[in-house]
Amino acid sequence: EKEEADSWRTGTLVVNDRPLGQVLNLMKKWYGLTILVPQPKLMERKASFRASLDSTRQAIRGIEASTGLQFGYVGQNMAFTEKTVAPTPEAKKGKK
């Protein structure tokens, strides 16, 4: 917790095992980003990462990696959603 509390002094955001709902509040505070999560149950996923306060991309990638979610857009809004799995070539052949 001390590392999380003091990390801003070194220009880093440190998140250790926090629910996504809390992490999104930090994203708003430190990066000015409002990111939606259309499925409320996903707000409980835990995130852990380190990111430069100068890099929204690094923070978003950290959230994706630790929660298993994907970043994208729903309409014009930034959002984290469940990963979509592209069909395998074998599955595509079966649909013909």
Side-chain angles (χ1 to χ4, degrees):
E1 288 183 20
K2 183 176 180 353
E3 181 183 33
E4 282 187 39
D6 292 340
S7 63
W8 64 270
R9 294 178 193 199
T10 61
T12 305
L13 175 62
V14 175
V15 173
N16 291 314
D17 202 36
R18 291 194 178 251
L20 183 57
Q22 289 180 13
V23 174
L24 294 181
N25 289 334
L26 294 172
M27 294 296 286
K28 175 85 171 164
K29 176 181 179 179
W30 293 108
Y31 298 99
L33 298 178
T34 299
I35 303 175
L36 305 177
V37 178
Q39 297 169 294
K41 68 179 182 168
L42 300 178
M43 296 292 267
E44 299 302 316
R45 296 251 181 123
K46 300 287 181 143
S48 297
F49 64 93
R50 303 172 77 85
S52 168
L53 291 176
D54 294 331
S55 178
T56 56
R57 178 175 292 238
Q58 201 175 55
I60 288 168
R61 296 285 182 254
I63 294 169
E64 285 179 316
S66 62
T67 63
L69 299 174
Q70 71 180 9
F71 175 81
Y73 286 82
V74 174
Q76 294 184 0
N77 299 304
M78 291 182 273
F80 283 107
T81 58
E82 290 279 9
K83 284 187 177 180
T84 55
V85 179
T88 63
E90 293 79 24
K92 287 182 182 178
K93 287 178 187 177
K95 288 186 175 181
K96 288 183 179 177

